[in-house]
Amino acid sequence: MTQIDETPLPGVGTRLEFITHEGNRVGVIHHRSGRRELFLCHVEDPDAVALTLELDDDESRALAEALGASPVAESVSNLQQQVEGLAIDWLTVSEASPYEGASIGDTRARTRTGVSIVAVLRGTTTFPSPGPDFTLETHDVMVVVGTPDGISRLQGILTEG
Amino acid sequence: MDHGALLLLELGAVVFALGLIAKLSRRLAISPIPLYLLAGLAIGEGGLFPIVTSEGLIEFGAELGVIFLLLMLGLEYTADELVAGMKSVAPAGLLDLGLNFSPGFVAGLLLGWGLVPALFLGGVTYISSSGVIAKLVNDLGWAGNRETPVVLSILVFEDLAMAVILPVLGVLALGESPTTAVIAIGLALVAMAAALWFAYRHGDRLGAFVFDHSDEASLLTVFGLTLIVAGLAEGVNISAAVGAFLVGIGVSGVAAERAQSLLTPLKDLFAAEFFFFFGLSTNPREIPGVLLVAVVLGVVTAATKVFIGWWAAKRAGIGYEGRLRSGLSLIARGEFSIIIAGLAGGVAGAEELPALAAGYVLIMAIAGPLLARFAQTGSRHDVSAPA
């Protein structure tokens, strides 16, 4: 994934930014007041903002969705920021996985690793909080939350059983 | 008409007029501070008509205004930001102090004011207005610019410098004997260092103690605590303003953010009264006499700020235009220059200071943002790579 740089703006808020493959500096300013600002810079003058757009909570979510990011993933990553030591990850069910076609309950992920499966992403569809009888298919991406250690053990279980 | 009715009418008229001024300043897109000052200068001593009945009340409001302004200054940055700011811009920050304090200090000596008033004038010319500059950065959409963190960290450094300058000036203003003054300054600096250390280590704990889920309880405890510490500070000759600043620094974390949003309306009200009162108690007829000095100081200290901004941005690898924006945005002086001039009330030799500070801030609070706008090179909308 593209590296996002975070810069504190004392008294203003935080700035997250990255450079696109065409060389435009793009970023979001999270104002302390909760206001969010999207900005773009000209390729030839990366120092100055050329265009800004103010977004409220709803609009930010709408834009993220329109861009193809999952709102589930976003709220999980918010959670991660609030709870120290909590990790999230995206685990793919590979073709070789013994759990392809099995239910989430069959993996006994929670019992064995303490990791929760908070959502399953299948193609463009999101299944938030899937139940134990939810059937996994090849190429499903599971959004999981737990300790970093538990997640790596679950990764092992998924590939080797 | 009885006294109570007159008091309400007069105070109401003043606050209402300040409200209209704030509205006008929004329309003109300039800081309201110089306009409040002008309104104060226009009436009262030496002005168009006097304010009699409510002057005492406005004066008390003005005292609260100083307390709120410094409490908010202390709250504005977290302890982590202060420490990070100190490390990242120490060279630029120190150069800023040297280059912008000296013109005022030297001018004070040349005017024959004596050492202490000259130190106050140095403080007036040193501190940029974080209020005016933050507004400028927002209005011009510069928060995303690459030079903006540089500008903001210089302001953070000035905030830290205030933690040293303010107690020293606060003690000097009281005109104690040298021994008492040295003890009081030492005490103030130790208290300031303790508050900074405490905020860095345990700021969240004080925040958790002072804060409650009820806005009402939070507001009353913070306000009460601030007044108590301000009173204690005043009692041991350190000045109430320093006490309020200490509380602001001591409370940090989430609590500080909430305190800011709760206290902002109160700060707006009392700070407006403070600027108005400063104008009110300054005789406008004295301004023409010091105007030339104010203009010369303005030109010199605008140039030194531009140099600092330019130099710091260059060190951060920012291009030519960004360096210019960085320099121009630092020119504005405002609330803290007035606070420092206000602290000097009663200092022997500083009789001309209020008029000079008022003239100087009127120039800088208006010229700074105007010059910065000048650097805004029109908005470009085509942001894609050239084909």
Side-chain angles (χ1 to χ4, degrees):
Chain A
M1 205 172 82
T2 308
Q3 176 69 37
I4 297 181
D5 288 325
E6 184 175 339
T7 317
L9 298 177
V12 175
T14 314
R15 186 168 83 196
L16 301 172
E17 63 191 332
F18 64 91
I19 312 253
T20 67
H21 67 279
E22 282 196 315
N24 295 96
R25 198 163 67 88
V26 177
V28 176
I29 296 149
H30 291 259
H31 290 266
R32 275 188 186 174
S33 57
R35 210 155 61 82
R36 252 169 283 188
E37 231 178 312
L38 178 72
F39 68 87
L40 292 176
C41 299
H42 201 277
V43 177
E44 282 155 9
D45 184 5
D47 287 350
V49 165
L51 191 69
T52 56
L53 181 65
E54 204 168 312
L55 298 169
D56 65 20
D57 276 4
D58 253 9
E59 292 154 359
S60 310
R61 228 166 284 148
L63 183 64
E65 192 144 7
L67 286 171
S70 156
V72 175
E74 184 207 31
S75 42
V76 174
S77 72
N78 282 344
L79 180 71
Q80 187 189 23
Q81 282 165 11
Q82 285 159 18
V83 185
E84 213 176 317
L86 195 67
I88 54 160
D89 213 339
W90 286 256
L91 302 182
T92 309
V93 182
S94 66
E95 279 164 31
S97 172
Y99 292 103
E100 193 268 302
S103 72
I104 284 182
D106 292 338
T107 63
R108 299 202 298 128
R110 176 94 79 142
T111 328
R112 289 155 77 183
T113 63
V115 172
S116 302
I117 299 166
V118 294
V120 173
L121 315 176
R122 183 175 295 163
T124 54
T125 325
T126 304
F127 300 94
S129 2
D133 45 7
F134 183 93
T135 310
L136 294 171
E137 291 179 8
T138 313
H139 303 309
D140 275 358
V141 176
M142 304 195 297
V143 182
V144 298
V145 178
T147 59
D149 185 45
I151 289 177
S152 68
R153 271 186 289 141
L154 179 59
Q155 170 103 63
I157 290 169
L158 273 183
T159 44
E160 286 144 33
Chain B
M1 218 183 300
D2 70 37
H3 182 78
L6 255 181
L7 189 70
L8 287 178
L9 277 174
E10 213 176 83
L11 187 66
V14 166
V15 175
F16 187 75
L18 293 178
L20 293 180
I21 288 170
K23 224 177 150 84
L24 177 71
S25 81
R26 275 184 64 86
R27 180 98 17 111
L28 297 175
I30 60 171
S31 158
I33 297 170
L35 299 183
Y36 293 148
L37 277 175
L38 277 177
L41 285 168
I43 48 183
E45 192 195 341
L48 298 173
F49 52 87
I51 287 209
V52 192
T53 331
S54 60
E55 182 153 5
L57 207 56
I58 294 174
E59 183 172 7
F60 181 65
E63 279 171 30
L64 286 181
V66 177
I67 288 177
F68 274 112
L69 278 166
L70 283 159
L71 173 66
M72 297 296 271
L73 178 67
L75 285 173
E76 187 156 14
Y77 307 119
T78 65
D80 291 338
E81 284 171 350
L82 289 177
V83 172
M86 196 158 52
K87 285 179 187 155
S88 69
V89 291
L94 288 172
L95 194 63
D96 176 31
L97 177 61
L99 282 181
N100 288 292
F101 188 89
S102 323
F105 180 65
V106 171
L109 291 180
L110 289 178
L111 289 167
W113 287 2
L115 186 66
V116 174
L119 284 172
F120 274 92
L121 189 54
V124 169
T125 59
Y126 166 48
I127 306 269
S128 292
S129 164
S130 57
V132 173
I133 294 169
K135 189 177 171 326
L136 190 69
V137 165
N138 261 330
D139 288 355
L140 297 181
W142 285 1
N145 284 7
R146 270 178 52 203
E147 76 279 2
T148 298
V150 176
V151 172
L152 295 175
S153 37
I154 290 178
L155 295 181
V156 173
F157 190 93
E158 291 188 358
D159 192 13
L160 269 173
M162 277 285 260
V164 178
I165 294 171
L166 210 56
V168 173
L169 291 181
V171 171
L172 290 176
L174 295 168
E176 301 288 342
S177 70
T179 340
T180 327
V182 167
I183 294 172
I185 288 174
L187 190 66
L189 291 179
V190 168
M192 201 57 89
L196 276 170
W197 176 84
F198 183 82
Y200 190 56
R201 293 279 154 147
H202 308 288
D204 288 340
R205 243 180 269 176
L206 180 65
F209 167 71
V210 180
F211 270 78
D212 195 274
H213 286 296
S214 141
D215 283 352
E216 188 182 5
S218 305
L219 178 66
L220 293 174
T221 40
V222 171
F223 185 40
L225 180 72
T226 307
L227 290 186
I228 290 171
V229 177
L232 284 175
E234 187 86 31
V236 293
N237 291 339
I238 308 182
S239 126
V242 176
F245 189 47
L246 277 176
V247 176
I249 286 180
V251 176
S252 67
V254 191
E257 274 175 42
R258 269 191 76 205
Q260 269 195 315
S261 60
L262 283 176
L263 295 169
T264 300
L266 284 170
K267 184 209 79 176
D268 289 343
L269 170 63
F270 291 112
E273 283 193 35
F274 167 68
F275 298 123
F276 175 76
F277 184 75
F278 188 87
L280 199 65
S281 50
T282 304
N283 190 339
R285 290 168 212 274
E286 289 173 8
I287 292 186
V290 292
L291 196 60
L292 184 65
V293 182
V295 170
V296 172
L297 265 183
V299 172
V300 171
T301 57
T304 47
K305 282 283 179 190
V306 170
F307 174 77
I308 289 297
W310 179 281
W311 186 72
K314 190 179 172 194
R315 274 169 52 98
I318 311 286
Y320 184 84
E321 282 178 26
R323 292 177 211 166
L324 189 63
R325 282 192 299 269
S326 162
L328 292 175
S329 57
L330 282 170
I331 293 176
R333 312 293 207 284
E335 62 275 32
F336 303 115
S337 300
I338 296 293
I339 288 175
I340 289 174
L343 269 182
V347 171
E351 290 76 18
E352 284 178 321
L353 182 63
L356 180 52
Y360 177 76
V361 168
L362 282 178
I363 296 169
M364 303 307 267
I366 294 175
L370 281 182
L371 287 169
R373 265 165 218 280
F374 177 69
Q376 177 78 311
T377 47
S379 54
R380 280 162 296 200
H381 295 287
D382 176 23
V383 293
S384 57

